[in-house]
Amino acid sequence: MDTAQHGYIGRKDDYLKRLRRIEGQARGLQRMVDDEAYCIDILTQLSAMTKALQAVGLGLLEEHMNHCVMHAAQESSAAGHEKIDEAMAAITRLVKS
């Protein structure tokens, strides 16, 4: 198991708070569908939830770049390139979602 501290640890509570808020949004969406709310209202809330998830993802990506990638690049060029490739794959997944 990796025992290195991750870059987001300093803001872990903030991320957890945001994710709990998003979880609440998901429950709200379920209630809206169950209550047969107007389609556009559901889509509006879905869009807000998507933006919130994207914000968490971008925050984690920034933390990763500033901590994990930077640390690996300081260790060695090969490790730095490996972390950059890993970050680029994550960015690609975020952009596709």
Side-chain angles (χ1 to χ4, degrees), residues 3-70:
T3 59
Q5 193 175 54
H6 301 291
Y8 65 86
I9 294 298
R11 295 184 55 210
K12 178 181 173 180
D13 290 340
D14 293 335
Y15 285 115
L16 287 171
K17 182 191 287 185
R18 292 173 85 179
L19 289 167
R20 286 183 188 108
R21 196 174 312 130
I22 293 166
E23 182 181 20
Q25 286 178 293
R27 284 192 303 273
L29 280 165
Q30 291 172 21
R31 277 191 304 275
M32 290 177 80
V33 171
D34 190 43
D35 295 343
E36 300 175 9
Y38 184 55
C39 302
I40 297 301
D41 293 340
I42 295 170
L43 290 169
T44 299
Q45 291 305 310
L46 185 62
S47 177
M49 188 173 137
T50 300
K51 294 289 183 196
L53 282 168
Q54 288 172 340
V56 170
L58 289 173
L60 287 169
L61 181 60
E62 182 179 9
E63 302 283 355
H64 180 69
M65 297 297 286
N66 287 324
H67 180 267
C68 302
V69 174
M70 184 84 72

Side-chain angles (χ1 to χ4, degrees), residues 10 28 35-36 57 62 65 74 77-78 83 86 88 91 97:
D35 295 343
E36 300 175 9
E62 182 179 9
M65 297 297 286
Q74 290 170 345
S77 178
K83 287 293 181 185
E86 181 182 66
M88 287 305 301
I91 292 167
S97 63

